[in-house]
Amino acid sequence: ILNDCDADLIALQEVDDPEQSLAWMGFHHDDNNYRYFYQKRTNKKQDGLLLAYKRNKFRLYHPDAATARLRRIQLNDLSLGCLSENSQTYFKKDQIAIYTLLQPLHDASQVLCVVNTHLYWHPDADNIRLRQINYILN
């Protein structure tokens, strides 16, 4: 389905094996159309996040090209400011976010920040997701 969409950007969560997931979608490792990044979640979690972009549409941006890369935010860091062990456990959910800066090839004056995240899933945990989003944005 994604291959048929001809997407310029792809952001997937809960990816166990990036090579297998890309092959399942019809993309191949030697396919030069997309560049992708994969980041596994923290601790013993087996899944992670995949972020891909079309090479003929974007390039990695950074004023210093040597540091153009993917960046990772560990959302477990939310627990660092908690004083009690219960609070630390409450906010330690092994979620992550990844982001990078992309520059459209057709307009070098623009920069696009692309973020992919795996937020806490529980339907009654809006407060945790809000705190995670706030942490990412800051």
Side-chain angles (χ1 to χ4, degrees), residues 23-132:
W24 173 78
M25 293 183 301
F27 303 112
H28 304 286
H29 180 67
D30 59 353
D31 182 358
N32 283 332
N33 292 333
Y34 287 90
R35 178 171 184 190
Y36 78 90
F37 299 99
Y38 175 77
Q39 182 65 58
K40 190 177 166 206
R41 287 202 297 156
T42 56
N43 293 323
K44 296 181 181 180
K45 302 293 183 184
Q46 296 303 310
D47 64 305
L49 301 174
L50 183 134
L51 183 61
Y53 66 90
K54 273 193 174 176
R55 293 175 187 262
N56 66 350
K57 300 279 183 168
F58 301 99
R59 70 178 180 104
L60 284 175
Y61 170 81
H62 196 277
D64 173 12
T67 59
R69 61 183 165 87
L70 181 77
R71 289 178 169 74
R72 171 180 146 169
I73 300 170
Q74 285 189 207
L75 298 178
N76 278 349
D77 291 349
L78 284 170
S79 66
L80 295 178
C82 298
L83 300 178
S84 74
E85 191 173 320
N86 285 343
S87 293
Q88 289 176 1
T89 302
Y90 184 72
F91 286 108
K92 204 169 213 175
K93 302 295 183 193
D94 296 320
Q95 268 75 45
I96 61 171
I98 57 176
Y99 71 96
T100 195
L101 299 176
L102 298 178
Q103 188 171 43
L105 295 178
H106 72 277
D107 186 354
S109 68
Q110 294 185 0
V111 176
L112 179 66
C113 180
V114 181
V115 181
N116 187 11
T117 184
H118 188 282
L119 300 176
Y120 189 55
W121 65 273
H122 198 281
D124 295 331
D126 290 341
N127 59 331
I128 292 178
R129 284 188 295 280
L130 285 171
R131 190 162 176 180
Q132 290 175 329

Side-chain angles (χ1 to χ4, degrees), residues 9-20:
L9 298 167
I10 298 171
L12 302 174
Q13 299 81 36
E14 298 189 14
V15 174
D16 293 321
D17 180 345
E19 297 290 334
Q20 183 179 11

